[in-house]
């Protein structure tokens, strides 16, 4: 698992750190409820070249697949990044994998 990127706090200084991991593209399928139905192939190819050079800079969002098969996921957000990653022949894509509470972190003002 990779370290935290996003942090949220409350008044009591309760801190939750979001953890990200790389999910295999082969285990992710696009949602049938995705409102996007058209993709500009030229822009998708441009994004794929960027992903090939720099990787995916903004994680996608996945959830356990409704079919119930273990280790399969449904893509919720990030269909262009997902498709560009496939075009770039990447094997994985980053997505949040949960949060961990960290209540003892010092508070900075």
């Amino acid at each position: 698992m990779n370290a935290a990127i996003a942090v949220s706090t409350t008044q009591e200084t309760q801190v939750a750190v979001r953890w990200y991991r790389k999910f295999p593209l082969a285990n992710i399928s696009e949602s049938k409820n995705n409102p996007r139905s058209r993709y500009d192939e030229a822009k998708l190819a441009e994004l794929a070249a960027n992903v090939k050079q720099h990787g995916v800079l903004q994680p996608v969002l996945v959830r356990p697949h409704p079919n119930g098969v273990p280790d399969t996921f449904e893509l919720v957000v990030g269909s262009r990044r997902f498709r560009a990653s496939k075009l770039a022949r990447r094997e994985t894509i980053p997505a949040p994998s949960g949060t961990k509470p960290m209540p003892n972190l010092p508070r900075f003002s």
Side-chain angles (χ1 to χ4, degrees):
M1 259 196 234
N2 293 335
I5 294 176
V7 176
S8 61
T9 62
T10 65
Q11 291 290 71
E12 297 86 35
T13 318
Q14 293 287 331
V15 177
V17 179
R18 179 165 283 168
W19 295 89
Y20 292 83
R21 73 178 179 104
K22 294 180 179 181
F23 287 79
L25 289 173
N27 294 12
I28 300 172
S29 61
E30 291 189 61
S31 172
K32 292 178 175 47
N33 298 323
N34 183 356
R36 186 184 290 270
S37 60
R38 294 186 195 163
Y39 294 86
D40 182 323
E41 295 300 323
K43 289 188 178 189
L44 200 55
E46 183 180 336
L47 181 57
N50 190 293
V51 165
K52 194 171 203 167
Q53 183 177 1
H54 301 289
V56 176
L57 301 179
Q58 183 177 357
V60 298
L61 184 59
V62 296
R63 63 178 164 212
H65 202 285
N67 67 10
V69 176
D71 294 326
T72 61
F73 304 92
E74 182 178 48
L75 186 68
V76 178
V77 176
S79 60
R80 281 181 20 91
R81 285 169 273 156
F82 175 72
R83 287 180 179 218
S85 294
K86 288 173 105 177
L87 283 174
R89 300 187 187 275
R90 307 230 0 140
E91 293 184 12
T92 61
I93 194 164
S97 65
T99 59
K100 289 189 175 187
M102 300 187 74
N104 296 325
L105 292 178
R107 183 176 182 155
F108 298 102
S109 301

